Amino acid sequence: MLLNSGLPQNMWGEAVLSANYLLNKVPRKKEDKSPYELLKGKKPSYKYLRVWGCFSKVAVPTPKKAYDRKWRLGGEFPVPGVHRSRTNGSCFPIAVLIFLAVLVFSFFVRSLYSSSFTDRNDFVTSLNKQDLNWRERLALQHIKSLFSKEVMDVIKANMDDLGPLGLESFRKNNLSASWKLVGPETVADTNAVSAKSTEVAADIKQETTRGKQEDILDEDHSSFSETPAILSRRRLREKRREKRAADLVKQEDEVTVKLENAAIERSKSVDSAVLGKYSIWRKENENENSDSTVRLMRDQMIMARVYISLARITHKTDLANELQNRLKESQRALGEANADSDLHTSAPEKIKAMGQVLSKAREQLYDCKLVTGKLRAMLQSADEQVRSLKKQSTFLSQLAAKTIPNGLHCFSMRLTIDYYLLPPEKRKFPRSENLENPNLYHYALFSDNVLAASVVVNSTIMNAKEPGKHVFHLVTDKLNFGAMNMWFLLNPPGKATIHVENVDEFKWLNSSYCPVLRQLESAAMKEYYFKSAHPTTLAAGSSNLKYRNPKYLSMLNHLRFYLPQVYPKFDKILFLDDDIVVQKDLTGLWEVDLHGKVNGAVETCGESFHRFDKYLNFSNPHIARNFDPNACGWAYGMNIFDLKEWKIKDITGIYHKWQNMNEDRVLWKLGTLPPGLMTFYGLTHPLEKSWHVLGLGYNPSVDRSEIDNAAVVHYNGNMKPWLELAMTKYRPYWTKYIKFDHPYIRNCKIVE
């Protein structure tokens, strides 16, 4: 109740009282009657109930009786949980007066007993000598002839056992801080600023001090008059109360911690990727009434459609035509507006006119069952439209992800033409003697995107401590071989060494050795990827288009499983994808001890995301027998490979085994990450997460501090930084390593 209402924790007392009050009016399972009904013999009323914690106004009735007015002159005592009667009776003031009389009586009985009760006349005289107010004197006049000394002794013994009943006892017993007595004696607790309130507070402090002194005297007196058995029982009761109070406080703290942890877990379970850029803390959502006019018009249009359908069913064509005309006017006035500021000036008039027609339709057509059924049908139809649009959006995003922007195509073509116009002697890179030097830092980069490869190389060199010790081994296809060479010949990476190779010139990489090439040449694979199930609509093709993405069919994507064959003289090599940006010096990765493992990578699993069961088909017995479905996944993009251990453990052979078994795509669907997880299962050493931060290509809620502290940021996903659908807030990390004033880039209209 406290969490839902947003009230502070010190209102727990009111929450308990309200919960108890409601439980007494709720029927039980066994009797099918509420405790209230069992006690009163009549059913309770629920008309006056409101949501707990809502705002309310207190209506104070005008006093009608003389003693009621006198009581009000003395002050009010609102008690939590007590509800004013709907009739204007006077039972509440009388009850409060009785309550005050008992309080005053108990207070003065204690002070009277401190003087040993020698005589009732002496008792009255000693009290009259004190600074008593009019209530105390009035109470004294009424009680002095009611009780004998024996009765007062019994009351005194009970008061010693239970403790004084007052505001201090409420506070000492850890009751709710919001339970307060408000009256002329305690006005100082309301933080008033007047001088009168200050004087009252001082009087209260003096009375409290005197009360404490009297309590000490009472305790001393009782210690002489009571037996050891009574004292032991009293101590036992005090210990029990203290233990019970401590247990209650502990239970309350435990419940609070459980509620807070549950709220945190619920917030973590929200898929931020689905929410996108929406946040309740954005400025447009601060005001609960923001764009209320737009929402009102949309609601009116929904109800108009409902009543149009009902009017046609009941053959009220005139009303249906009138509603249709108003609906068209509202649609024209609303247009494509998403905010009140975008609405046409005629919108208020259209809203008023539509409201009048809807009122008329409600009088003639409203039927709860029919309206509910129509709204349910509209909701189902809207849900189907949303699913269809979602599929279309997926299809278009996949289509955009696999296409090449015009600027990049122009960029590659111009570089290729100029490269083949160069004489052969000018097509060579300097410092070729560093290409096989094992004492340098070697990088492997396989890409057919010239601009993306240039960002990887430039960002690495600009953040390196010793650029001259870095060697980049680039492999591309024959279509982009000339462009890749030409760009780095024109823009050499400082003192670093670079070398570009053509994957089609690797004669050892053929269908007799490589299972992927053999499978791609088979008729079944060609039918699956290129001919079967061609979509006739956007929605129908969204599921198949991803499988036909060129990157999954390119050998550049599978070349990562043949690193020892491509670079046989290296002991270690750092593999980089072309959709990453380097932000720090990476030479520390060569010093990481992999503890006999082959692959060093950053793990990506959360509680249930990016684990093996997400990528592999565990209904297959081969998968279920050899792998743990809860094993943690890891990321390609930045991987340090120990090529010595690779050769010892025959990693390429393991990859070939699983690839041959997946010819019918029964183990995994597509890509290189699933076979990578299987090939390096148990052979991957986890790196610190700050080395590699992922998600910039699909997750709009990556923590900015994680990005800034990362050595490498990875745009994995469809929203690549060189595409128009890239997320604008992440794109600057990539664009700052591009020279947009370069003639080739400027002439192909590649803009920042």
Side-chain angles (χ1 to χ4, degrees):
M1 293 171 67
L2 292 173
L3 289 175
N4 289 335
S5 62
L7 293 174
Q9 292 292 331
N10 62 2
M11 296 294 291
W12 67 267
E14 277 64 27
V16 172
L17 289 176
S18 299
N20 183 63
Y21 182 80
L22 292 173
L23 289 173
N24 285 333
K25 294 205 171 187
V26 175
R28 297 294 188 267
K29 290 183 179 180
K30 294 182 179 180
E31 299 88 359
D32 198 23
K33 290 183 179 181
S34 65
Y36 178 89
E37 188 174 354
L38 293 173
L39 179 65
K40 300 285 187 180
K42 60 180 181 180
K43 292 186 177 181
S45 173
Y46 304 104
K47 294 181 179 180
Y48 58 89
L49 293 178
R50 298 292 184 271
V51 177
W52 195 85
C54 66
F55 291 100
S56 61
K57 295 183 179 179
V58 179
V60 181
T62 305
K64 296 183 178 180
K65 297 183 180 180
Y67 61 82
D68 194 15
R69 289 194 296 273
K70 290 180 181 179
W71 170 74
R72 288 186 177 278
L73 290 173
E76 290 186 73
F77 292 81
V79 181
V82 179
H83 301 276
R84 187 178 297 278
S85 175
R86 284 176 291 183
T87 60
N88 291 327
S90 58
C91 60
F92 182 64
I94 293 174
V96 174
L97 283 175
I98 293 173
F99 179 65
L100 280 174
V102 173
L103 284 177
V104 174
F105 166 70
S106 62
F107 176 78
F108 284 107
V109 165
R110 291 178 58 82
S111 61
L112 288 171
Y113 193 78
S114 64
S115 63
S116 301
F117 297 97
T118 57
D119 185 47
R120 277 183 295 172
N121 293 330
D122 295 339
F123 165 64
V124 174
T125 304
S126 63
L127 285 176
N128 286 332
K129 291 180 181 180
Q130 300 179 16
D131 186 14
L132 302 178
N133 58 28
W134 64 274
R135 283 193 182 83
E136 295 169 345
R137 293 195 298 271
L138 182 63
L140 180 61
Q141 293 174 7
H142 286 83
I143 65 173
K144 66 182 180 179
S145 61
L146 295 179
F147 303 103
S148 63
K149 180 180 179 183
E150 290 77 9
V151 174
M152 291 183 180
D153 291 341
V154 173
I155 294 173
K156 174 65 174 61
N158 291 330
M159 290 294 294
D160 287 340
D161 290 340
L162 299 176
L165 180 62
L167 187 59
E168 289 298 321
S169 67
F170 275 76
R171 290 173 178 167
K172 289 178 181 178
N173 291 332
N174 197 28
L175 294 178
S176 175
S178 58
W179 292 1
K180 299 179 182 178
L181 283 174
V182 182
E185 306 300 330
T186 57
V187 176
D189 292 336
T190 62
N191 296 326
V193 295
S194 62
K196 183 177 179 180
S197 300
T198 307
E199 295 174 0
V200 173
D203 294 338
I204 292 174
K205 184 175 181 180
Q206 294 176 2
E207 291 177 6
T208 304
T209 305
R210 289 197 298 270
K212 291 180 179 179
Q213 295 173 355
E214 291 170 359
D215 290 343
I216 296 172
L217 293 175
D218 291 342
E219 292 175 0
D220 294 340
H221 186 276
S222 62
S223 64
F224 287 106
S225 61
E226 295 177 350
T227 62
I230 296 176
L231 290 175
S232 62
R233 285 197 299 271
R234 183 189 304 164
R235 294 191 188 98
L236 183 60
R237 284 195 297 270
E238 290 176 354
K239 290 181 179 179
R240 288 175 179 173
R241 284 199 298 267
E242 292 175 358
K243 182 180 179 181
R244 179 59 179 164
D247 292 341
L248 290 174
V249 172
K250 183 179 179 180
Q251 291 177 4
E252 182 184 0
D253 294 339
E254 291 176 352
V255 171
T256 302
V257 171
K258 288 181 179 179
L259 291 173
E260 292 175 352
N261 292 336
I264 293 172
E265 292 300 323
R266 285 196 300 271
S267 66
K268 288 181 178 179
S269 65
V270 177
D271 189 355
S272 58
V274 176
L275 293 178
K277 297 181 180 179
Y278 176 80
S279 171
I280 61 173
W281 307 114
R282 292 178 67 185
K283 291 184 177 180
E284 58 264 33
N285 297 305
E286 287 179 359
N287 183 5
E288 61 180 5
N289 295 320
S290 63
D291 304 329
S292 58
T293 306
V294 172
R295 292 199 300 270
L296 176 59
M297 294 187 70
R298 289 173 178 168
D299 292 342
Q300 285 184 337
M301 291 163 63
I302 292 172
M303 292 307 301
R305 292 188 180 95
V306 173
Y307 285 127
I308 288 172
S309 177
L310 296 179
R312 289 173 179 170
I313 293 173
T314 56
H315 305 290
K316 295 184 179 181
T317 55
D318 294 340
L319 182 58
N321 293 334
E322 187 177 1
L323 285 167
Q324 188 68 43
N325 293 333
R326 295 300 181 190
L327 179 61
K328 291 180 180 179
E329 292 177 359
S330 296
Q331 288 174 338
R332 285 193 293 268
L334 180 63
E336 297 181 356
N338 293 317
D340 290 352
S341 57
D342 300 332
L343 289 173
H344 192 268
T345 54
S346 63
E349 298 178 2
K350 306 300 180 185
I351 292 174
K352 184 177 180 181
M354 177 65 84
Q356 294 173 354
V357 179
L358 288 176
S359 299
K360 180 180 176 181
R362 189 179 300 110
E363 294 173 358
Q364 299 182 22
L365 302 172
Y366 185 78
D367 182 281
C368 183
K369 187 175 181 180
L370 289 175
V371 172
T372 303
K374 187 61 181 176
L375 287 173
R376 187 179 291 113
M378 292 177 64
L379 179 62
Q380 185 177 359
S381 176
D383 188 48
E384 292 176 356
Q385 292 179 9
V386 168
R387 283 198 293 268
S388 176
L389 292 173
K390 204 171 181 181
K391 290 182 179 179
Q392 293 181 18
S393 175
T394 304
F395 176 87
L396 294 174
S397 64
Q398 296 288 347
L399 186 64
K402 79 167 193 174
T403 54
I404 301 175
N406 289 336
L408 291 183
H409 182 71
C410 164
F411 182 66
S412 180
M413 291 298 101
R414 287 176 178 265
L415 288 170
T416 301
I417 293 171
D418 291 346
Y419 175 75
Y420 287 108
L421 292 176
L422 288 176
E425 62 272 11
K426 292 186 178 181
R427 297 180 186 178
K428 296 180 180 180
F429 290 99
R431 293 181 289 275
S432 59
E433 66 277 3
N434 294 335
L435 294 178
E436 296 182 354
N437 187 346
N439 298 321
L440 302 180
Y441 304 109
H442 295 269
Y443 298 82
L445 175 59
F446 309 147
S447 174
D448 57 359
N449 189 327
V450 180
L451 195 62
S454 71
V455 170
V456 175
V457 174
N458 291 340
S459 62
T460 305
I461 295 303
M462 291 178 65
N463 292 284
K465 296 178 180 178
E466 298 178 292
K469 293 185 178 181
H470 295 259
V471 182
F472 293 89
H473 302 268
L474 275 68
V475 180
T476 186
D477 56 18
K478 61 183 178 182
L479 292 177
N480 296 279
F481 178 73
M484 195 77 72
N485 276 280
M486 187 65 186
W487 176 258
F488 286 106
L489 286 171
L490 294 174
N491 305 277
K495 297 180 180 179
T497 304
I498 196 163
H499 179 60
V500 180
E501 294 181 273
N502 183 0
V503 68
D504 297 305
E505 295 179 356
F506 294 162
K507 302 303 180 182
W508 53 267
L509 195 63
N510 50 56
S511 58
S512 62
Y513 176 68
C514 178
V516 172
L517 286 176
R518 184 172 63 254
Q519 292 169 7
L520 289 175
E521 292 176 358
S522 66
M525 188 68 71
K526 292 178 181 178
E527 179 73 16
Y528 177 77
Y529 277 107
F530 301 107
K531 294 182 180 180
S532 64
H534 275 207
T536 56
T537 63
L538 290 177
S542 60
S543 60
N544 294 325
L545 183 66
K546 186 175 183 179
Y547 299 140
R548 286 189 286 273
N549 194 319
K551 76 174 184 177
Y552 297 118
L553 308 178
S554 173
M555 273 309 299
L556 289 175
N557 204 36
H558 293 267
L559 195 61
R560 64 192 67 190
F561 293 104
Y562 300 95
L563 289 175
Q565 287 80 5
V566 181
Y567 310 109
K569 296 185 179 181
F570 299 152
D571 293 336
K572 273 190 176 181
I573 194 167
L574 183 64
F575 172 80
L576 299 177
D577 268 342
D578 62 357
D579 55 352
I580 62 105
V581 174
V582 178
Q583 301 186 130
K584 295 182 179 179
D585 182 64
L586 300 181
T587 55
L589 288 170
W590 275 265
E591 300 174 1
V592 174
D593 185 4
L594 299 181
H595 301 285
K597 304 296 179 63
V598 180
N599 176 24
V602 171
E603 293 183 335
T604 58
C605 58
E607 292 183 0
S608 61
F609 191 59
H610 288 310
R611 296 187 182 271
F612 272 44
D613 58 353
K614 175 180 172 61
Y615 302 101
L616 305 178
N617 178 21
F618 274 88
S619 63
N620 186 282
H622 296 289
I623 299 295
R625 187 167 52 249
N626 290 282
F627 303 101
D628 179 10
N630 293 319
C632 189
W634 45 268
Y636 271 126
M638 186 211 70
N639 307 79
I640 184 72
F641 289 109
D642 187 336
L643 300 185
K644 277 187 176 181
E645 292 293 333
W646 183 305
K647 297 172 186 176
I648 294 172
K649 294 180 171 59
D650 191 19
I651 297 300
T652 304
I654 297 174
Y655 164 70
H656 283 175
K657 182 190 78 170
W658 290 114
Q659 192 69 50
N660 286 323
M661 294 175 64
N662 194 48
E663 187 169 359
D664 296 329
R665 299 170 304 282
V666 295
L667 304 185
W668 71 89
K669 286 290 185 181
L670 74 163
T672 55
L673 183 55
L677 296 176
M678 299 166 69
T679 301
F680 294 101
Y681 183 66
L683 300 173
T684 300
H685 174 74
L687 300 176
E688 293 184 6
K689 292 187 180 297
S690 60
W691 279 112
H692 188 189
V693 171
L694 299 99
L696 277 67
Y698 71 91
N699 186 4
S701 57
V702 180
D703 192 346
R704 183 58 62 92
S705 61
E706 291 184 4
I707 297 175
D708 294 337
N709 295 326
V712 171
V713 292
H714 195 173
Y715 292 83
N716 57 314
N718 287 332
M719 300 179 184
K720 302 299 184 185
W722 54 84
L723 300 176
E724 292 184 1
L725 52 82
M727 283 182 276
T728 55
K729 65 177 181 179
Y730 299 146
R731 203 163 183 265
Y733 293 100
W734 188 79
T735 55
K736 67 180 181 180
Y737 294 104
I738 299 176
K739 298 178 180 179
F740 288 96
D741 57 348
H742 195 281
Y744 282 94
I745 295 177
R746 187 176 63 251
N747 293 337
C748 289
K749 298 181 181 178
I750 300 175
V751 295
E752 187 172 0

